[in-house]
Amino acid sequence: MVGKTLQLLLLLMLCFAAPAFASDELNAGDTAWIIVATALVMMMTPAGLALFYGGLSRYKNLLNTYAMTFAAYCLASVVWVAWGYSLAFGTDKAGLVGGLDYLMLAGIGPDAMEGTIPQLVFVMFQMTFAGITLALVIGSVVDRLRFAAWIVFAVLWVSVVYAPVCHWAWGGGWMDAMGALDFAGGTVVHINAGVAGLVLAMVLGKRIGYGKEAMFPSSVALTALGAALLWFGWFGFNAGSQLAADGLAGSAFMVTNTSAAMGALAWMFAEWGAEKKPTLLGLASGAVSGLVGITPAAGFVGLGGALVIGAVAGLLGFLFVAKLKHKLGYDDSLDAFGVHGICGIWGALATGIFANPAVNPDGVGLLYGNPMQVWIQFVSVIGTAAYAAVATLVVIGVTRLVVGPLRIDAESEVTGLDGAFHGERAFEIQA
């Protein structure tokens, strides 16, 4: 009798408790992880990328490079919450852009959910992606872009270029509908920024003395430190893109590290063989190349795919930065296109080859019986590159109408932007 009474009480408790559990979709573990992942990705821009780019720039322009990177994150942060998020994740409009549902985050309160996490956390996570994508563009044009022109360009570019491409891949746009695989930003981040940087660099023209005088990095040590911070933050970038604390996030975490390590080693050995010396700068650049390559594939490939993607990314990065850039004659100051554009293209295509359904059933690549995925990836690459190029040209034209010339005057370029524009020096060294 006692046993039946206890069973009845337990059944009643479950009945009353069930509605509460059913209506509460928030998962504390997922939420905590994405908050941490967001903080990791945030650090990548005003710390990791700023140090990486700052160390690569010449000593007289280190602070200007850092300031443009820092400002990029601040500008993207404001644009994103005001209208960028709505354009990327609002109601789909013909597969091209989101609607204006979320202007100034209208309707998104503390209780609004995105899957198992608060929607505000999702907004913040996606905002950090917008910030670093914009900042990556700087790498192609340091030493010669006016700061005022960068401010206007940045606001327009996030609105007109980044937000629509983000919608295409992640917000229900045409690439998403087509079945393109981009786990954490091969098209949205790296191809988008790399192509935009190349276009902006070609419009601005080469730096004074480019190809005729040595342009040494101001601090390889700062660049290596920046690369390490980028690597660390990239775990949030890739593993966080699962939006859950689960096994697939763990898999993305593992393949991210593996690809970065392979990229660093591939670049190092290629440089060692070609130049007879393995440099720290090569190791740092190779690690970033491997990270770029694995970004779109992180949630779809296993260990074997990660090893190949990282190795090829390191080799491609070295080839374009050390060899082909000089032969082709364009001045991509810090190799934003050579690393992010080229390795992003490789990573997007490689996702179509190595996507393993045993890792993620949503992705089936060429090696697992679905050759069509390679074609879909190719179309997504071409679509992103073409739009980024044309839309960036439009943004450049509008920026000129607003602020005038994009390029700094010759005197400031020769003396350095740190002193000429900011009135600061990166190093105070007494003899």
Side-chain angles (χ1 to χ4, degrees):
M1 185 66 181
V2 175
K4 289 183 178 181
T5 302
L6 289 175
Q7 288 177 9
L8 180 60
L9 287 173
L10 180 59
L11 180 61
L12 289 172
M13 291 172 63
L14 288 173
C15 290
F16 283 113
F21 285 115
S23 63
D24 186 6
E25 298 178 355
L26 185 142
N27 183 291
D30 293 347
T31 301
W33 161 233
I34 302 307
I35 289 174
V36 170
T38 301
L40 287 171
V41 183
M42 178 273 168
M43 179 193 65
M44 293 174 70
T45 304
L49 189 65
L51 288 171
F52 186 82
Y53 275 175
L56 283 174
S57 64
R58 289 180 285 178
Y59 74 93
K60 60 185 179 181
N61 297 319
L62 189 158
L63 293 183
N64 176 257
T65 303
Y66 206 122
M68 288 200 294
T69 308
F70 206 103
Y73 182 80
C74 297
L75 290 164
S77 296
V78 175
V79 170
W80 191 250
V81 296
W83 62 80
Y85 177 78
S86 189
L87 293 175
F89 292 97
T91 303
D92 177 62
K93 303 298 182 182
L96 299 176
V97 71
L100 302 180
D101 318 59
Y102 301 127
L103 284 180
M104 298 297 292
L105 302 186
I108 304 178
D111 296 328
M113 298 294 297
E114 180 70 31
T116 61
I117 65 174
Q119 191 172 2
L120 287 174
V121 174
F122 179 73
V123 171
M124 280 293 297
F125 183 67
Q126 289 295 334
M127 180 269 290
T128 60
F129 279 65
I132 195 166
T133 306
L134 171 63
L136 288 173
V137 178
I138 295 166
S140 292
V141 295
V142 298
D143 297 349
R144 59 201 193 276
L145 180 65
R146 291 178 58 210
F147 196 80
W150 172 244
I151 298 298
V152 175
F153 176 91
V155 172
L156 293 173
W157 195 85
V158 172
S159 307
V160 175
V161 186
Y162 180 81
V165 176
C166 180
H167 179 77
W168 296 354
W170 298 333
W174 68 268
M175 287 198 305
D176 190 10
M178 184 178 62
L181 303 177
D182 189 352
F183 193 73
T187 52
V188 179
V189 176
H190 299 296
I191 298 174
N192 206 5
V195 171
L198 178 62
V199 169
L200 186 54
M202 294 179 73
V203 170
L204 286 175
K206 299 176 184 178
R207 289 167 289 177
I208 295 174
Y210 179 75
K212 300 176 182 178
E213 62 184 60
M215 297 183 175
F216 296 111
S218 59
S219 174
V220 174
L222 287 183
T223 294
L225 176 59
L229 289 172
L230 285 170
W231 191 337
F232 178 58
W234 225 293
F235 294 134
F237 202 90
N238 285 0
S241 291
Q242 171 60 3
L243 300 180
D246 61 13
L248 189 55
S251 176
F253 198 112
M254 184 273 295
V255 298
T256 297
N257 189 75
T258 301
S259 183
M262 281 300 296
L265 293 173
W267 189 306
M268 180 190 75
F269 284 119
E271 184 180 47
W272 203 344
E275 311 294 342
K276 309 307 177 187
K277 291 183 179 179
T279 65
L280 175 59
L281 183 56
L283 273 167
S285 300
V288 173
S289 297
L291 289 164
V292 171
I294 198 63
T295 293
F300 301 107
V301 304
L303 179 59
L307 289 168
V308 176
I309 290 171
V312 174
L315 293 173
L316 284 174
F318 172 75
L319 179 64
F320 270 82
V321 169
K323 304 297 180 183
L324 292 181
K325 181 178 77 168
H326 303 290
K327 291 184 177 181
L328 295 173
Y330 62 89
D331 185 9
D332 179 7
S333 305
L334 309 183
D335 302 301
F337 177 73
V339 172
H340 295 276
I342 295 301
C343 295
I345 291 171
W346 158 242
L349 296 176
T351 305
I353 299 171
F354 297 103
N356 184 349
V359 174
N360 185 342
D362 291 337
V364 183
L366 170 66
L367 297 183
Y368 300 90
N370 182 24
M372 182 56 67
Q373 191 63 51
V374 178
W375 171 251
I376 292 172
Q377 298 300 108
F378 176 77
V379 172
S380 73
V381 167
I382 296 300
T384 300
Y387 180 77
V390 173
T392 298
L393 283 172
V394 172
V395 169
I396 290 171
V398 176
T399 302
R400 279 177 167 159
L401 291 175
V402 176
V403 298
L406 301 182
R407 186 161 180 157
I408 58 173
D409 61 274
E411 181 181 356
S412 296
E413 185 172 346
V414 171
T415 59
L417 278 72
D418 288 1
F421 187 82
H422 300 284
E424 300 173 297
R425 291 188 297 183
F427 304 105
E428 295 291 343
I429 301 175
Q430 298 294 329

